[in-house]
Amino acid sequence: MTLIRSVITGCGGYLPETVLTNDDLAKIVDTTDEWIVERTGIRERRIAAEGELTSDLGTAAAEQALERAETDARDIDLIVLATSTPDNTFPATAVTIQANLGIQHGAAFDLQAVCSGFVFALATADNFLKSGQYKRALVIGAETYSRILDWEDRGTCVLFGDGAGALVLEARKLNGAGLERGILASELRSDGRYKDKLFVDGGPSSTGTVGHLRMHGRDVFRHAVTNIADVITETLANTDYTADDIDWFVPHQANKRILDGTARKIGLDPDKIVMTVENHANTSAASIPLALNTALEDGRLKENQLVLMEAMGGGFTWGAVLARW
Ligand code: UT7
């Protein structure tokens, strides 16, 4: 049997122009820069312009990833978009991105796992590629959370931002020589008993409205470090690697305290954490590819390095992916 691995050949990101600082927010709700920085590590976030859609953000990130992969959009036969802020209830925002990129074949669909969306999308695309069904995939995380925030709720509106990131994956046959690049292992989890801890209070079937994000932050926080550490341990156990082997830990960027706590729990050197929460805030499904893009652009992330990604979000959903870059 020929073994196929999904190799990451390109990475891109896009952030809207408008920067919203903590001081800007203090003019809208009863909060302070001090509180936000101390509790979350966030200093600023980007906000999409009026008329700028999730598909626009996702398309820009995908174009950059394709350029860096030196891949023609027409060679892509699978697009998986992780988002919980689609342009419309349907069609899938992925098909708008597909059309924007001039692709008329293959499959494009949205995947909904809230903040864990990118990890779920990456694992999904990886399995399609490994099965031999598709050859080249775009895996995108794109969000416009500013559209579903309650701007009067200081407990949530200070935490999120808009943005998009993308990876190009290519199915390559393993040749058995040395350390081979690509996705090495993934683990995904969900537990619907916690669906009311982080949710949007509207939707087509329930209220007929879009709704606003609601969160029991302390409960989410309480589960985060344990769930994430467990799924990382299970992912590493599928391989011969340990936490010591990891070059870069690229987590979902929700809260600096959660990231520091997770690194401590799995025994990872804090210098190996790629942290973007300070400037991006929580961009949900976009946060991991945006963090990858940041580490790539500032020269930290290099070919053949071992990268551990993880996320936890509404549902609850959580998961981890280990890849050799
Ligand atoms: O990506 C999906 C996953 N999401 C997460 O991982 C988020 C997880 N949760 C968290 O990151 C934290 O729970 C928060 C950052 C959301 C909140 O931090 P906390 O330390 O858990 O604070 P808290 O909710 O317990 O609130 C403490 C106090 C409260 O006041 P009282 O009741 O003690 O008087 C809040 O009303 O802080 C108050 N507070 C604020 N004060 C100033 C809440 N939000 C704010 C605010 N500014 N923006």
Side-chain angles (χ1 to χ4, degrees), residues 31 35 39-40 115 154 217-218 221 252 254-255 257-258 282:
T31 191
W35 190 95
R39 303 290 176 121
T40 71
C115 295
R154 68 176 182 173
R218 218 176 286 182
F221 196 101
H252 166 53
N255 184 317
R257 289 188 290 150
I258 295 176
N282 181 347

Side-chain angles (χ1 to χ4, degrees), residues 58-75:
T59 302
E63 283 171 343
Q64 189 174 58
L66 286 167
E67 195 185 316
R68 290 186 179 151
E70 296 178 11
T71 296
D72 193 309
R74 286 165 300 188
D75 290 330

